[in-house]
Amino acid sequence: FITVSLDDLADIKTFVPKFLNEMNAEMPAYLLKTADESAAITMVAKDWNGNLPLTVLFTSTGETAYVRKGKIRYESVIAEIDKVLKPVVVSDRQIVDLPTNMTIYSFEKGVTDARRDIELRTYKVIRYGLTPEIPPTQIARLKQKYLVTVSETGCLVPSGYVEYVRGYNETIMSTLQKKYGNEILAELKFAQNL
């Protein structure tokens, strides 16, 4: 989910944050500032005239699945989301997309991939499985101060992936320690001993 505001720049720092806070909105919020608002409006929905609020749900292929002009009811939107996410069912068997990438993971591959990323100056730390949430402020500070991003892979842990992550993270953290000193290790404590 994202929100897009068409408010003036002056309002984006006052009314918009207040409104999003009242709505308990935790999704990214963007400001649309364009010279041609009607072209931007048409890109969102062809039959939309710009009235707000507008809610649009898209499928994973980018097709419009649901459009609602005006206020929404939570239950209605949830029902529409469920329709979009409903799996295709053939008889009593569920069709699901399974990963077909048969990458062989190992400690050595993690080290090799980390070295490639270091050459590209792409510093990231990989996390996997059920891990505690990192505060967004900490993630933003890592990116701003050290150019480090955090990659979350979720609960699916393929064979050899634990060793791959260990090799990758150790190599990245060693390089970052040389570049920034020991203070970076305190910042990346969440990635040590995964």
Side-chain angles (χ1 to χ4, degrees):
F1 288 98
I2 64 167
T3 62
V4 179
S5 172
L6 302 176
D7 292 88
D8 293 329
L9 273 173
D11 295 337
I12 203 70
K13 293 184 179 174
T14 54
F15 300 115
V16 173
K18 182 180 176 193
F19 172 77
L20 292 173
N21 201 22
E22 288 172 2
M23 296 293 115
N24 296 321
E26 296 178 1
M27 70 283 286
Y30 298 95
L31 170 67
L32 174 63
K33 201 64 182 163
T34 178
D36 188 357
E37 284 188 3
S38 36
I41 288 169
T42 304
M43 281 181 13
V44 174
K46 290 181 178 115
D47 62 342
W48 179 46
N49 63 5
N51 293 347
L52 295 173
L54 174 75
T55 302
V56 183
L57 296 178
F58 296 97
T59 66
S60 61
T61 59
E63 297 173 45
T64 303
Y66 172 79
V67 176
R68 170 77 173 140
K69 299 171 188 172
K71 292 184 177 180
I72 59 169
R73 286 185 35 236
Y74 177 81
E75 299 80 17
S76 299
V77 172
I78 293 300
E80 294 299 325
I81 291 171
D82 287 344
K83 286 180 194 173
V84 172
L85 296 179
K86 185 177 180 182
V88 177
V89 177
V90 176
S91 74
D92 62 345
R93 295 178 190 234
Q94 183 176 340
I95 299 173
V96 294
D97 290 332
L98 295 175
T100 55
N101 181 359
M102 299 305 290
T103 302
I104 308 292
Y105 292 103
S106 67
F107 181 88
E108 293 76 20
K109 179 165 177 38
V111 170
T112 301
D113 288 354
R115 287 180 179 153
R116 179 203 61 224
D117 288 349
I118 290 165
E119 285 180 27
L120 297 171
R121 294 191 175 132
T122 305
Y123 307 114
K124 71 179 176 186
V125 174
I126 303 173
R127 298 178 56 181
Y128 61 86
L130 296 174
T131 55
E133 183 180 18
I134 304 169
T137 54
Q138 185 178 2
I139 291 175
R141 185 175 57 249
L142 286 169
K143 187 164 186 140
Q144 183 179 21
K145 189 172 181 180
Y146 304 108
L147 304 175
V148 174
T149 59
V150 178
S151 173
E152 303 270 357
T153 63
C155 295
L156 181 62
V157 181
S159 177
Y161 196 70
V162 172
E163 289 302 307
Y164 171 86
V165 170
R166 190 169 64 83
Y168 187 95
N169 284 350
E170 285 178 7
T171 305
I172 290 287
M173 288 196 289
S174 173
T175 299
L176 291 172
Q177 183 182 18
K178 289 175 188 167
K179 187 171 183 168
Y180 297 108
N182 288 335
E183 75 179 59
I184 185 84
L185 296 181
E187 294 272 357
L188 296 174
K189 188 171 182 147
F190 64 83
Q192 298 168 28
N193 302 321
L194 275 177

